[in-house]
């Protein structure tokens, strides 16, 4: 069952998403070598609750934290830990917020100052693949068009592994709704996208092969070949003429520029 949202509902989801974006910007301002995921998670939870909202992930299927923090070969669903970040780490931060009965969801992979060029290319390409997917999220297109756009971009120039087991999703009154939004697919296949559909598009791309496995904590997904993995996510509303991106990475990218310990996710790196 797919729930199409009214304009009013889309604006409420946007509000939740903007608090997610604010939380990711806070994470960007705090990330540096020696800092722990747990300390960032605590501040993220405080920020969300200070806005009268509730962390969207904490307690979801018993997940113990506000943020998913996934480092290096961890793909997604990493539990914030007391391990101190290293200057060579890439750090994926995924945040969900529940406010006014609607969820927002977005993620970003950050690079600390000594991340190597090959990994930086993975991050840039994964981020670009998200925006390629979003361009296809328009009324009248099909779900497969989104997956094709993401997959084609990730596989075209680099032989990156596109994760299959985890996918994007519808979002609204529930964190995960129909339909599933795979990061692979064929043009012109799958459900038709209609005005009012709100989905989280979230490519998870590995530097090496696509295979992943679950760690013993029963949450963290890692690459099987231990290569680094990147994850970028926006919540997007399908509209008649365009894709309306409800989350916003502008603030967090400003924080990256202001944080001397982080690299910008752009080609010039
Ligand atoms: Mg997410
Ligand atoms: Mg999501």
């Amino acid at each position: 069952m797919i729930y199409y949202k009214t304009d009013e509902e889309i604006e409420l989801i946007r509000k939740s998403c903007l608090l997610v974006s604010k939380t990711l910007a806070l994470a960007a301002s705090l990330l540096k070598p020696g800092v722990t995921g747990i300390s960032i998670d605590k501040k993220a939870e405080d920020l969300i609750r200070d806005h009268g909202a509730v962390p969207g992930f904490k307690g979801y299927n018993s997940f113990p934290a506000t943020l998913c923090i996934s480092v290096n070969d961890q793909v997604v669903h990493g539990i914030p830990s007391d391990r101190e970040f290293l200057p060579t780490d890439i750090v994926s931060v995924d945040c969900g917020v529940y406010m006014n009965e609607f969820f927002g969801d977005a993620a970003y992979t950050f690079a600390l100052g000594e991340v190597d060029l090959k990994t930086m290319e993975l991050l840039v390409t994964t981020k670009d693949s998200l925006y390629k997917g979003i361009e296809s999220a328009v009324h009248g297109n099909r779900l497969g068009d989104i997956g094709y756009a993401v997959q084609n971009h990730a596989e075209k120039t680099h032989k990156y592994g596109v994760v299959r087991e985890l996918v994007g999703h519808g979002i609204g009154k529930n964190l995960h709704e129909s339909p599933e939004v795979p990061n692979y697919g064929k043009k012109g296949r799958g459900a038709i996208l209609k005005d009012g559909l709100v989905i989280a598009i979230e490519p998870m791309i590995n530097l090496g092969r696509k295979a992943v496995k679950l760690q013993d904590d029963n949450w963290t997904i890692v690459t099987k070949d231990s290569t680094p993995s990147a994850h970028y996510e926006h919540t997007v509303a399908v509209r008649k003429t365009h894709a309306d991106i409800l989350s916003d990475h502008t603030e967090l990218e400003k924080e990256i520029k202001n944080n001397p310990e982080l690299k910008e996710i752009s080609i010039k790196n």
Side-chain angles (χ1 to χ4, degrees):
M1 173 87 192
I2 293 178
Y3 298 96
Y4 297 94
K5 277 74 181 180
T6 63
D7 290 351
E8 291 74 22
E9 289 171 332
I10 288 172
E11 291 316 308
L12 289 175
I13 298 173
R14 192 192 309 275
K15 279 190 182 160
S16 297
C17 285
L18 291 181
L19 183 51
V20 167
S21 297
K22 202 170 189 163
T23 308
L24 292 177
L26 173 70
S29 72
L30 297 170
L31 253 178
K32 60 177 184 179
V35 163
T36 67
I38 279 186
S39 71
I40 293 177
D41 188 72
K42 171 81 178 76
K43 290 181 175 128
E45 178 168 1
D46 290 346
L47 178 73
I48 290 168
R49 294 197 189 277
D50 285 349
H51 284 76
V54 175
F57 299 165
K58 200 168 193 177
Y60 184 84
N61 293 333
S62 304
F63 188 76
T66 293
L67 304 174
C68 295
I69 299 184
S70 310
V71 183
N72 298 329
D73 66 331
Q74 298 177 343
V75 181
V76 285
H77 302 168
I79 299 171
S81 78
D82 58 4
R83 171 190 175 278
E84 294 181 358
F85 295 120
L86 301 172
T88 49
D89 283 344
I90 58 167
V91 181
S92 301
V93 181
D94 193 348
C95 180
V97 154
Y98 182 71
M99 187 168 66
N100 301 318
E101 294 181 31
F102 285 92
F103 283 91
D105 188 8
Y108 200 94
T109 301
F110 299 93
L112 279 91
E114 291 173 27
V115 172
D116 63 78
L117 187 64
K118 254 172 80 175
T119 306
M120 288 308 299
E121 280 176 4
L122 169 73
L123 270 47
V124 171
T125 303
T126 305
K127 194 176 94 163
D128 287 347
S129 77
L130 167 62
Y131 290 98
K132 300 278 182 199
I134 289 172
E135 279 173 24
S136 297
V138 178
H139 180 86
N141 281 356
R142 287 179 183 265
L143 261 180
D145 296 328
I146 298 175
Y148 172 82
V150 171
Q151 181 184 10
N152 182 53
H153 189 70
E155 292 179 347
K156 191 175 52 181
T157 47
H158 304 83
K159 288 199 168 72
Y160 293 147
V162 177
V163 174
R164 301 298 204 273
E165 288 87 343
L166 298 129
V167 294
H169 50 92
I171 180 167
K173 289 199 171 180
N174 302 289
L175 179 58
H176 296 126
E177 297 183 356
S178 287
E180 292 194 342
V181 183
N183 296 303
Y184 57 95
K186 293 197 165 68
K187 275 186 188 173
R189 299 277 182 88
I192 295 182
L193 306 174
K194 292 185 194 163
D195 186 56
L197 176 67
V198 178
I199 48 177
I201 302 176
E202 48 180 315
M204 288 153 261
I205 313 284
N206 304 338
L207 187 61
R209 299 178 69 85
K210 64 178 184 286
V212 297
K213 62 181 181 184
L214 180 64
Q215 278 191 329
D216 290 341
D217 64 12
N218 268 321
W219 274 109
T220 314
I221 306 286
V222 296
T223 57
K224 257 191 187 167
D225 62 9
S226 300
T227 56
S229 184
H231 179 216
Y232 292 87
E233 177 179 28
H234 271 308
T235 296
V236 173
V238 172
R239 308 280 21 199
K240 285 253 163 62
T241 57
H242 66 291
D244 186 358
I245 307 178
L246 305 180
S247 42
D248 186 351
H249 289 340
T250 313
E251 282 305 311
L252 79 81
E253 289 185 335
K254 268 188 211 158
E255 292 295 342
I256 292 175
K257 275 196 182 154
N258 292 335
N259 183 339
E261 308 290 346
L262 295 182
K263 281 185 168 183
E264 285 181 60
I265 310 305
S266 63
I267 294 295
K268 71 174 188 283
N269 286 294

CSV table of all heavy atoms in Angstrom, one decimal, residues 20 57 68 76-77 93-96 104-107 169 171 175-176 200 202 231 233-235, ligand 1:
chain,number,residue,atom,x,y,z
A,20,VAL,N,16.4,17.1,10.6
A,20,VAL,CA,17.5,16.1,10.3
A,20,VAL,C,18.7,16.8,9.7
A,20,VAL,O,19.9,16.6,10.2
A,20,VAL,CB,17.0,15.1,9.3
A,20,VAL,CG1,18.1,14.3,8.7
A,20,VAL,CG2,15.9,14.2,9.9
A,57,PHE,N,15.2,7.0,14.9
A,57,PHE,CA,15.8,5.7,14.9
A,57,PHE,C,15.8,5.0,16.3
A,57,PHE,O,15.8,3.8,16.4
A,57,PHE,CB,17.2,5.7,14.4
A,57,PHE,CG,17.4,6.2,13.0
A,57,PHE,CD1,18.6,6.6,12.5
A,57,PHE,CD2,16.3,6.3,12.1
A,57,PHE,CE1,18.8,7.1,11.2
A,57,PHE,CE2,16.4,6.8,10.8
A,57,PHE,CZ,17.7,7.2,10.4
A,68,CYS,N,22.8,6.6,13.2
A,68,CYS,CA,23.6,5.5,12.7
A,68,CYS,C,25.0,6.1,12.3
A,68,CYS,O,25.0,7.1,11.5
A,68,CYS,CB,23.0,4.8,11.5
A,68,CYS,SG,21.4,4.0,11.9
A,76,VAL,N,26.1,0.7,6.6
A,76,VAL,CA,25.0,1.5,7.3
A,76,VAL,C,24.7,0.8,8.6
A,76,VAL,O,25.3,-0.3,8.9
A,76,VAL,CB,23.7,1.5,6.5
A,76,VAL,CG1,23.8,2.4,5.3
A,76,VAL,CG2,23.3,0.1,6.0
A,77,HIS,N,23.9,1.4,9.4
A,77,HIS,CA,23.4,0.9,10.7
A,77,HIS,C,24.4,0.7,11.8
A,77,HIS,O,24.2,-0.1,12.7
A,77,HIS,CB,22.6,-0.4,10.5
A,77,HIS,CG,21.4,-0.2,9.5
A,77,HIS,ND1,20.8,-1.3,9.0
A,77,HIS,CD2,20.9,0.9,9.0
A,77,HIS,CE1,19.8,-0.9,8.1
A,77,HIS,NE2,19.9,0.5,8.1
A,93,VAL,N,27.0,9.4,8.5
A,93,VAL,CA,26.0,9.7,9.6
A,93,VAL,C,24.6,9.7,9.0
A,93,VAL,O,24.4,10.4,8.0
A,93,VAL,CB,26.4,11.1,10.2
A,93,VAL,CG1,25.4,11.4,11.4
A,93,VAL,CG2,27.8,11.1,10.7
A,94,ASP,N,23.8,8.9,9.5
A,94,ASP,CA,22.4,8.8,9.1
A,94,ASP,C,21.5,9.2,10.2
A,94,ASP,O,21.7,8.8,11.4
A,94,ASP,CB,22.1,7.3,8.7
A,94,ASP,CG,20.8,7.1,7.9
A,94,ASP,OD1,20.0,8.1,7.8
A,94,ASP,OD2,20.6,6.0,7.4
A,95,CYS,N,20.5,10.1,9.9
A,95,CYS,CA,19.7,10.6,11.0
A,95,CYS,C,18.2,10.6,10.6
A,95,CYS,O,17.8,10.9,9.5
A,95,CYS,CB,20.1,12.1,11.3
A,95,CYS,SG,19.1,12.8,12.6
A,96,GLY,N,17.4,10.2,11.6
A,96,GLY,CA,15.9,10.2,11.4
A,96,GLY,C,15.3,11.0,12.5
A,96,GLY,O,15.8,11.0,13.6
A,104,GLY,N,11.4,12.3,9.0
A,104,GLY,CA,12.3,12.8,8.0
A,104,GLY,C,13.6,11.9,8.1
A,104,GLY,O,13.9,11.4,9.2
A,105,ASP,N,14.3,11.8,7.0
A,105,ASP,CA,15.5,10.9,7.0
A,105,ASP,C,16.5,11.4,6.0
A,105,ASP,O,16.1,11.7,4.8
A,105,ASP,CB,14.9,9.5,6.5
A,105,ASP,CG,15.9,8.3,6.6
A,105,ASP,OD1,17.0,8.5,7.2
A,105,ASP,OD2,15.5,7.2,6.2
A,106,ALA,N,17.7,11.5,6.4
A,106,ALA,CA,18.8,11.9,5.5
A,106,ALA,C,20.2,11.4,6.0
A,106,ALA,O,20.3,11.1,7.2
A,106,ALA,CB,18.8,13.4,5.2
A,107,ALA,N,21.1,11.3,5.1
A,107,ALA,CA,22.5,10.8,5.5
A,107,ALA,C,23.5,11.4,4.7
A,107,ALA,O,23.3,11.9,3.6
A,107,ALA,CB,22.5,9.2,5.4
A,169,HIS,N,13.3,3.9,0.5
A,169,HIS,CA,12.0,3.5,0.9
A,169,HIS,C,11.0,4.7,0.9
A,169,HIS,O,11.4,5.9,1.0
A,169,HIS,CB,12.1,3.0,2.4
A,169,HIS,CG,12.9,3.9,3.3
A,169,HIS,ND1,12.3,4.9,4.0
A,169,HIS,CD2,14.2,4.1,3.5
A,169,HIS,CE1,13.2,5.6,4.6
A,169,HIS,NE2,14.4,5.1,4.3
A,171,ILE,N,8.4,7.1,2.8
A,171,ILE,CA,8.5,7.6,4.2
A,171,ILE,C,7.3,8.6,4.4
A,171,ILE,O,6.8,9.2,3.5
A,171,ILE,CB,9.9,8.3,4.4
A,171,ILE,CG1,10.0,8.9,5.8
A,171,ILE,CG2,10.1,9.4,3.3
A,171,ILE,CD1,11.4,9.3,6.2
A,175,LEU,N,8.5,5.3,9.3
A,175,LEU,CA,9.9,5.6,8.8
A,175,LEU,C,10.1,4.8,7.5
A,175,LEU,O,10.8,5.3,6.6
A,175,LEU,CB,10.9,5.1,9.9
A,175,LEU,CG,12.4,5.2,9.6
A,175,LEU,CD1,12.8,6.6,9.3
A,175,LEU,CD2,13.2,4.7,10.7
A,176,HIS,N,9.6,3.6,7.4
A,176,HIS,CA,9.8,2.8,6.2
A,176,HIS,C,8.4,2.4,5.7
A,176,HIS,O,7.6,1.7,6.4
A,176,HIS,CB,10.6,1.5,6.5
A,176,HIS,CG,12.0,1.9,6.9
A,176,HIS,ND1,12.6,1.4,8.1
A,176,HIS,CD2,12.9,2.6,6.3
A,176,HIS,CE1,13.8,1.8,8.1
A,176,HIS,NE2,14.1,2.6,7.1
A,200,ALA,N,12.7,8.1,0.4
A,200,ALA,CA,14.1,8.3,0.7
A,200,ALA,C,14.9,7.6,-0.3
A,200,ALA,O,14.7,6.4,-0.5
A,200,ALA,CB,14.4,7.8,2.1
A,202,GLU,N,18.7,6.6,-1.3
A,202,GLU,CA,19.9,6.5,-0.5
A,202,GLU,C,20.9,5.4,-1.0
A,202,GLU,O,20.9,4.3,-0.6
A,202,GLU,CB,19.5,6.1,1.0
A,202,GLU,CG,18.6,5.0,1.2
A,202,GLU,CD,18.3,4.8,2.7
A,202,GLU,OE1,19.3,4.8,3.5
A,202,GLU,OE2,17.2,4.7,3.1
A,231,HIS,N,27.5,6.4,1.7
A,231,HIS,CA,26.1,6.4,1.8
A,231,HIS,C,25.6,7.9,1.9
A,231,HIS,O,26.0,8.6,2.8
A,231,HIS,CB,25.7,5.7,3.1
A,231,HIS,CG,24.2,5.7,3.4
A,231,HIS,ND1,23.7,5.8,4.7
A,231,HIS,CD2,23.1,5.6,2.6
A,231,HIS,CE1,22.4,5.7,4.6
A,231,HIS,NE2,22.0,5.6,3.4
A,233,GLU,N,21.9,10.3,1.4
A,233,GLU,CA,20.5,10.1,1.4
A,233,GLU,C,19.8,11.4,1.5
A,233,GLU,O,20.1,12.3,2.2
A,233,GLU,CB,20.1,9.2,2.6
A,233,GLU,CG,18.5,9.0,2.7
A,233,GLU,CD,18.2,8.2,3.9
A,233,GLU,OE1,18.9,8.1,4.9
A,233,GLU,OE2,17.1,7.5,3.9
A,234,HIS,N,18.7,11.5,0.7
A,234,HIS,CA,17.8,12.6,0.8
A,234,HIS,C,16.3,12.1,0.8
A,234,HIS,O,16.1,11.0,0.2
A,234,HIS,CB,17.8,13.6,-0.4
A,234,HIS,CG,18.8,14.7,-0.3
A,234,HIS,ND1,18.9,15.6,0.8
A,234,HIS,CD2,19.8,15.1,-1.2
A,234,HIS,CE1,19.8,16.5,0.6
A,234,HIS,NE2,20.4,16.2,-0.6
A,235,THR,N,15.5,12.8,1.5
A,235,THR,CA,14.0,12.5,1.4
A,235,THR,C,13.5,13.4,0.3
A,235,THR,O,13.8,14.6,0.3
A,235,THR,CB,13.3,12.8,2.8
A,235,THR,OG1,13.8,11.8,3.7
A,235,THR,CG2,11.8,12.6,2.6
B,1,LIG,MG1,18.5,7.2,6.6
